Amino acid sequence: MDIEIRQINDDENEIGLVQDFLYDQIKKEYGIGPTPKFHYDIESMGDYYIIPERNTFFVACDGDKIVASIGLRGYDLDYDFFKDEYTKDDTASIWRLMVDENYRRHGLARNLVAKIEDFASSKSYDKIYLHTHRYLEAGLPFWKSLGYKITVEEDDYDETTHMIKYLNKY
């Protein structure tokens, strides 16, 4: 396997390929198609990941085929329990970590997270937020193995678990 990890550019064709990959993975993992309520960032990748200087999106490619992805953007959620704790100035958030099932268990996710953490540090973020879902078998063990700590576990329909990792200063 000769995998290349790279940032995506503000290129319509490249963005289209990334969107196709993401929607294919979402269909496989969650059994749903494009849903504006949940996938607004995929539809507007430039606005969420490419144009803002402190945001980014990486893909892992095997030749011309995208096999994994991860995005990072300034924290922009509106959870009441984090209202005064996280801001887009000090907190980055991880989005869209997806790995094609044929490429799992080869370290791709770890390598992508390392790239994102390096990027976040270089952009002076103090911490990285993410949320995952308890029904995803490998999710919590994976994130914990990378030093992410659970902050809130919700009993919502989606079994949401919120996590944080402090960078540089802590």
Side-chain angles (χ1 to χ4, degrees):
M1 221 178 349
D2 188 22
I3 304 295
E4 174 195 11
I5 296 176
R6 60 181 173 76
Q7 283 180 286
I8 66 167
N9 298 303
D10 192 6
D11 174 89
E12 189 176 309
N13 292 330
E14 184 175 35
I15 291 170
L17 293 172
V18 173
Q19 290 168 325
D20 290 346
F21 169 78
L22 289 170
Y23 285 132
D24 182 58
Q25 293 302 304
I26 289 166
K27 181 71 172 172
K28 288 176 182 174
E29 289 298 318
Y30 303 101
I32 60 173
T35 309
K37 177 181 177 181
F38 303 119
H39 306 134
Y40 54 88
D41 61 312
I42 297 173
E43 287 302 312
S44 300
M45 292 193 75
D47 294 336
Y48 284 92
Y49 301 107
I50 300 166
I51 295 168
E53 182 184 329
R54 295 180 75 206
N55 298 0
T56 192
F57 202 94
F58 284 93
V59 292
C61 297
D62 186 359
D64 291 338
K65 179 182 178 186
I66 297 172
V67 298
S69 67
I70 192 168
L72 182 112
R73 65 186 201 235
Y75 180 84
D76 59 0
L77 300 173
D78 60 357
Y79 295 111
D80 286 339
F81 38 79
F82 297 132
K83 186 176 183 192
D84 296 321
E85 198 166 339
Y86 307 148
T87 71
K88 69 172 28 177
D89 292 328
D90 67 6
T91 308
S93 55
I94 290 177
W95 291 85
R96 309 298 175 201
L97 177 59
M98 304 272 182
V99 180
D100 180 287
E101 64 187 349
N102 297 314
Y103 290 82
R104 293 179 186 164
R105 307 280 185 238
H106 295 286
L108 276 178
R110 285 185 184 280
N111 289 337
L112 285 166
V113 172
K115 289 274 193 193
I116 285 293
E117 289 177 352
D118 288 345
F119 181 90
S121 290
S122 77
K123 298 298 181 181
S124 301
Y125 286 111
D126 296 331
K127 52 196 167 238
I128 299 179
Y129 160 89
L130 64 90
H131 65 266
T132 188
H133 309 285
R134 291 186 297 283
Y135 61 79
L136 298 173
E137 186 178 318
L140 283 174
F142 171 75
W143 291 112
K144 286 179 177 181
S145 77
L146 295 176
Y148 288 80
K149 307 288 184 208
I150 295 172
T151 57
V152 175
E153 287 190 292
E154 292 188 80
D155 287 326
D156 60 350
Y157 72 96
D158 224 9
E159 300 179 16
T160 305
T161 298
H162 303 270
M163 304 183 86
I164 197 76
K165 182 175 183 177
Y166 291 91
L167 303 170
N168 304 329
K169 299 179 182 181
Y170 300 93

